[in-house]
Amino acid sequence: MLVKASAEATKILRLAAEFTTMFWKYNNTSSSSQIEALLGKEDVTLQEVMDAEDIINECRVQNKILIDFLLKPEMMEELVTLTTKEPSIELDERVRFKYPNVACELLTCDVPALNERLASDEVLLDKLYTFLECDPPLNPLLASYFSKIMGVLIAKKTEQVLDFLKAKDTFITLLLKHLGTSAIMDLMLKLMTQVEGVEMRQNILNWLDSQRIMQSLVSLLNPKIDKERHYNVAQLLCDFIRVARDNQRNTTERADPDPLLNTLESSETVSLLLDSMFKEEKSETAIYFLALLDVYQSSIPKFNSQNMYNSNISEEASDIEQKQKIIFNTSQTIRTRIKDFHNLLLDPPYKAPIMTTVGTINLPLGNTRLQVTKLLATVISSNNEELLNELESIGTFPVLLDLFFKYPWNNFLHTQVENCLISALKTHVSDENEENSNALTKHLLVNCKLIERILGAWKENDEQQAQEKGVRQGYMGHLISMTNKIVELCSSTSLGQYLKDHLPDVAKSLDEFRETTLNETNKVQETLLGGAHPNSSVEDNDDYSDLIPFPQSSALQQQMFSQYQMQNLTSQYIDGYSGFNDDAFNDGDDTLQSIDHRTDMNFDLSEGDLVQQHEIFKQVCAQNINTLDDADDQIFEDREHTFQTVIEKQDRNEAVYSSDSDDEPSGDDNMEVDRKL
């Protein structure tokens, strides 16, 4: 059914495009007449035609006289020359790039005849290609024209253009040479992610992988490479891995694994990356590439049944397996370089002092240490025994704690340090080797004095806040969260008993703190602003309250969902429920109005009817699902659709809502209302 719906949607979009073209074609006669009159002159030049008003729209609607003129070999050659050759610097800057810009727009209007001529003429393609053979840096404006034209050709004439590029031995080398220009970086990303057609996409990906393009890109992260390419390569790789993972996750087509993504995530490439980072001088942009190792990043979060976005719900088995594979490869590779990462936390690349609203920070944290901490949070959660032992032996956890308190206003850092510490504590209950888990727990609780430092920092913050104009420390929110998680682990796992057996004084202090300060803090934190949850009461004139996905407690969500479902009951089931007012169902207008206030309604159900009501509720859900399936099948039957039929359908649906009649709607109308609700 989804495939049929997708095909129907594609058909409607195609019709929309055709109607748009027809509109401009038949409602733009004045411009067409001017173009045709101009082209009727003898010896008319391309620049004269490009000066004409609405030349771009005339090309888009495929004015035959104009297209025939542009398809002349000399005109096509001049158009390509305009987009690849820099205009004279003697021209007025305001009009210097006017004709190159118009030429680019004409060549990228997606006119099949122009695309075919450009892609099939090797002389024109060679003229385009010579632009890449210029010495860097490229003119950024001309580079954008070149990238746009090549992007259209790759999308529309994929096989012809890719065969031409494959035949050029210098193509990959030239792209890498000009990656300091952002437009060339965008072109390479399109080549790696936006080729259409499963077979053709797999073909180009395999070819790029055979050219070792990923290894070449990673090698450009060397600090000796010019700064522009350095930054653009880091951005390109980050964008690629995000798009490639999303494509694999959301594709509906059967496709082989992405060879470029597999190469980038392999242990071999990660080792090459680490060599580039640690062999030479420390570089901020090289460390930025650590964001690629974040296996949870995704541009499109998943959506759950409570209308709240969450990227960690309903994960497919393949998603989990892929994440575990990446974490394992990463952990195995960086295990031998943990000492280097540890030293980066102590001695990061130089950052100049910065001014903030809370004063001057002479030694800023920097992106390097933040990304290293984020990487450690990911690999610690994998519970790799050898890696955890290495972190413990070189003293990484005390360094993380020191950074947490040294930078009280950096909440990005606080989040990652909290994740590191809590993940490490959880190994006490998840590790089957009791000796190893106890060793790490002892290190955190005894050597690092984790609980004592938390309680001490809390006390210092209270004392500072008590002073005149005292300021609350920026890490307090994360300190509250961390303390609650430790208390929860102590009460629900063997960690609490371990604390009592080995650190009884600390265990006693933590219990006293939990019973007094922490409980009072949690009560304040849980108090709803305004005294009520935003979704618990709906104003009469608030049309958008149901659309705002505020988090809700499970009990409130269940109550609201049950009340909503009760509104969809058909008349044959109403008599089976007790406690209803029949008048609420006799008047059609009142019924529809009550639906707008469903969260305010309360249905008192006797305890004795719960079993019967549960069975009826299941029957109603089954009936509604069948109704929706049948309706969808009818909507997407293979039949001719026009915009008129769609509009008439919409008008009939709106008539159901706008009817002022007190008569009960027919069965079909009821179905339509239910479906829209």
Side-chain angles (χ1 to χ4, degrees):
M1 185 184 299
L2 290 176
V3 174
K4 187 184 293 185
S6 177
E8 197 70 22
T10 302
K11 184 188 297 184
I12 293 175
L13 288 175
R14 189 181 299 115
L15 284 171
E18 292 176 358
F19 279 131
T20 302
T21 301
M22 292 172 63
F23 173 83
W24 286 109
K25 183 174 182 179
Y26 294 107
N27 291 273
N28 204 24
T29 55
S30 176
S31 298
S32 299
S33 300
Q34 294 175 6
I35 293 290
E36 292 169 4
L38 179 62
L39 293 174
K41 297 180 180 179
E42 293 184 4
D43 301 327
V44 64
T45 65
L46 178 62
Q47 288 194 4
E48 289 177 330
V49 175
M50 295 169 73
D51 283 330
E53 187 178 357
D54 250 358
I55 178 68
I56 306 299
N57 281 334
E58 287 298 311
C59 185
R60 286 174 180 162
V61 300
Q62 302 180 35
N63 183 309
K64 187 177 186 307
I65 299 178
L66 174 61
I67 299 302
D68 290 342
F69 174 80
L70 296 177
L71 285 174
K72 294 179 180 180
E74 64 273 18
M75 298 305 166
M76 290 294 295
E77 184 175 353
E78 187 174 353
L79 286 172
V80 173
T81 301
L82 283 170
T83 59
T84 56
K85 185 178 180 180
E86 189 160 355
S88 172
I89 59 175
E90 296 179 358
L91 295 175
D92 189 342
E93 194 65 31
R94 292 174 296 179
V95 297
R96 186 180 174 209
F97 287 95
K98 172 187 174 182
Y99 295 116
N101 179 63
V102 175
C104 174
E105 291 298 319
L106 291 173
L107 291 175
T108 56
C109 276
D110 196 17
V111 176
L114 293 178
N115 292 340
E116 179 62 32
R117 175 61 61 85
L118 190 55
S120 60
D121 192 329
E122 193 164 336
V123 174
L124 294 177
L125 289 177
D126 279 328
K127 183 175 275 296
L128 265 176
Y129 187 81
T130 55
F131 178 74
L132 284 178
E133 297 174 342
C134 299
D135 293 331
L138 298 174
N139 181 290
L141 200 52
L142 292 180
S144 69
Y145 299 154
F146 171 82
S147 178
K148 186 175 182 179
I149 294 171
M150 292 300 297
V152 170
L153 292 178
I154 290 173
K156 301 301 180 181
K157 295 294 177 181
T158 307
E159 187 171 1
Q160 294 168 267
V161 176
L162 292 183
D163 287 343
F164 170 81
L165 295 177
K166 286 181 181 181
K168 299 291 185 180
D169 296 334
T170 59
F171 176 62
I172 299 297
T173 303
L174 290 175
L175 284 182
L176 295 172
K177 178 182 178 181
H178 293 299
L179 278 179
T181 304
S182 298
I184 303 301
M185 177 193 73
D186 293 338
L187 176 61
M188 181 171 281
L189 182 62
K190 290 178 181 178
L191 197 62
M192 294 160 59
T193 61
Q194 296 183 14
V195 175
E196 297 182 358
V198 175
E199 184 176 351
M200 185 58 64
R201 179 169 62 247
Q202 202 66 32
N203 184 14
I204 188 63
L205 291 178
N206 289 332
W207 174 69
L208 290 172
D209 192 47
S210 69
Q211 301 297 307
R212 296 180 62 82
I213 190 170
M214 283 302 167
Q215 292 86 341
S216 299
L217 288 171
V218 170
S219 66
L220 292 179
L221 291 172
N222 190 310
K224 293 182 178 180
I225 300 297
D226 55 282
K227 185 178 180 181
E228 288 75 14
R229 277 200 295 172
H230 211 163
Y231 277 99
N232 282 351
V233 168
Q235 186 62 52
L236 171 63
L237 291 173
C238 287
D239 289 343
F240 166 74
I241 201 168
R242 173 181 54 80
V243 175
R245 284 175 180 169
D246 283 344
N247 288 343
Q248 280 196 343
R249 185 182 185 186
N250 301 318
T251 184
T252 57
E253 302 174 329
R254 181 181 177 183
D256 295 330
D258 188 329
L260 295 182
L261 185 60
N262 290 343
T263 298
L264 185 58
E265 294 173 343
S266 67
S267 300
E268 183 182 85
T269 307
V270 175
S271 297
L272 180 62
L273 167 65
L274 297 180
D275 290 340
S276 298
M277 288 167 51
F278 294 121
K279 272 186 178 179
E280 307 292 340
E281 60 183 278
K282 294 184 281 290
S283 168
E284 188 81 16
T285 53
I287 305 299
Y288 173 66
F289 182 55
L290 288 172
L292 293 176
L293 303 177
D294 179 9
V295 298
Y296 297 101
Q297 67 169 317
S298 176
S299 63
I300 305 177
K302 290 187 175 180
F303 190 66
N304 70 3
S305 58
Q306 281 79 31
N307 292 343
M308 291 178 287
Y309 284 99
N310 190 335
S311 59
N312 296 320
I313 63 169
S314 304
E315 291 184 303
E316 301 291 341
S318 58
D319 292 339
I320 298 175
E321 181 181 356
Q322 181 67 12
K323 289 178 180 180
Q324 291 174 343
K325 177 183 176 182
I326 299 171
I327 292 176
F328 177 78
N329 289 340
T330 303
S331 301
Q332 291 297 106
T333 305
I334 71 172
R335 182 173 56 83
T336 58
R337 310 301 292 263
I338 283 295
K339 183 68 175 178
D340 294 317
F341 285 107
H342 178 85
N343 290 336
L344 276 176
L345 293 176
L346 298 173
D347 184 24
Y350 172 76
K351 297 285 291 184
I354 59 174
M355 290 290 297
T356 71
T357 55
V358 292
T360 302
I361 301 180
N362 294 319
L363 183 61
L365 177 73
N367 194 35
T368 297
R369 290 195 281 188
L370 178 61
Q371 293 295 341
V372 169
T373 308
K374 190 175 183 180
L375 173 63
L376 292 178
T378 300
V379 297
I380 289 174
S381 65
S382 69
N383 200 11
N384 185 299
E385 181 180 327
E386 295 178 347
L387 188 145
L388 290 174
N389 290 338
E390 184 71 16
L391 289 172
E392 176 189 341
S393 64
I394 62 178
T396 302
F397 289 104
V399 173
L400 292 174
L401 264 177
D402 291 341
L403 291 175
F404 184 95
F405 294 113
K406 182 178 180 180
Y407 296 96
W409 305 105
N410 195 320
N411 290 155
F412 298 107
L413 170 69
H414 303 153
T415 299
Q416 302 307 326
V417 173
E418 178 185 344
N419 291 339
C420 288
L421 297 174
I422 298 302
S423 295
L425 283 176
K426 286 182 178 179
T427 61
H428 184 89
V429 293
S430 60
D431 197 330
E432 296 179 358
N433 190 326
E434 183 176 352
E435 182 179 349
N436 291 331
S437 62
N438 285 346
L440 183 56
T441 301
K442 178 182 178 181
H443 177 70
L444 291 171
L445 299 181
V446 178
N447 299 343
C448 299
K449 299 184 180 298
L450 175 60
I451 295 179
E452 291 97 316
R453 293 195 67 174
I454 290 175
L455 299 182
W458 198 306
K459 181 179 179 181
E460 290 178 5
N461 175 76
D462 289 345
E463 292 175 352
Q464 181 173 334
Q465 275 192 277
Q467 298 175 4
E468 185 178 359
K469 296 184 179 180
V471 178
R472 186 174 187 260
Q473 293 297 318
Y475 52 65
M476 283 305 298
H478 289 84
L479 212 62
I480 294 171
S481 173
M482 198 185 310
T483 307
N484 279 317
K485 290 176 181 177
I486 293 175
V487 168
E488 182 181 356
L489 285 174
C490 289
S491 61
S492 60
T493 70
S494 58
L495 182 63
Q497 189 60 46
Y498 178 89
L499 197 60
K500 292 179 181 178
D501 294 341
H502 297 84
L503 297 169
D505 293 339
V506 175
K508 182 179 179 181
S509 299
L510 183 61
D511 284 340
E512 293 176 352
F513 182 81
R514 174 177 59 83
E515 294 294 335
T516 55
T517 306
L518 186 60
N519 280 345
E520 293 175 1
T521 301
N522 287 337
K523 288 180 181 178
V524 174
Q525 296 285 321
E526 293 169 1
T527 301
L528 295 174
L529 295 177
H533 194 280
N535 266 11
S536 63
S537 61
V538 183
E539 295 295 332
D540 293 345
N541 58 350
D542 189 352
D543 296 330
Y544 304 98
S545 57
D546 292 340
L547 304 178
I548 304 175
F550 291 111
Q552 302 167 352
S553 66
S554 298
L556 179 58
Q557 290 173 354
Q558 184 62 37
Q559 179 186 2
M560 293 176 62
F561 179 70
S562 299
Q563 292 174 354
Y564 169 75
Q565 288 293 329
M566 298 299 292
Q567 305 306 312
N568 292 320
L569 293 177
T570 55
S571 57
Q572 58 182 310
Y573 292 105
I574 293 175
D575 294 335
Y577 288 84
S578 60
F580 285 103
N581 183 355
D582 292 339
D583 292 339
F585 295 88
N586 290 334
D587 188 277
D589 291 339
D590 290 342
T591 303
L592 289 177
Q593 184 180 4
S594 66
I595 294 176
D596 291 336
H597 308 282
R598 57 181 177 273
T599 55
D600 289 335
M601 302 183 69
N602 183 28
F603 299 98
D604 297 323
L605 305 178
S606 63
E607 188 173 348
D609 292 333
L610 286 178
V611 176
Q612 177 188 4
Q613 293 164 359
H614 179 68
E615 292 299 322
I616 295 177
F617 177 77
K618 290 168 58 178
Q619 294 175 25
V620 173
C621 290
Q623 181 190 22
N624 284 342
I625 291 173
N626 292 334
T627 301
L628 286 172
D629 289 342
D630 294 339
D632 287 341
D633 288 337
Q634 293 174 6
I635 291 173
F636 296 111
E637 288 178 354
D638 290 330
R639 62 176 185 267
E640 285 296 317
H641 284 271
T642 66
F643 282 99
Q644 185 61 35
T645 60
V646 174
I647 293 171
E648 291 173 357
K649 174 77 172 175
Q650 182 179 1
D651 290 340
R652 290 198 301 270
N653 293 340
E654 291 176 353
V656 175
Y657 286 93
S658 61
S659 174
D660 293 329
S661 174
D662 291 339
D663 296 334
E664 184 173 343
S666 65
D668 291 340
D669 290 340
N670 268 329
M671 184 187 303
E672 187 68 26
V673 173
D674 289 342
R675 182 162 59 248
K676 287 189 174 293
L677 288 177

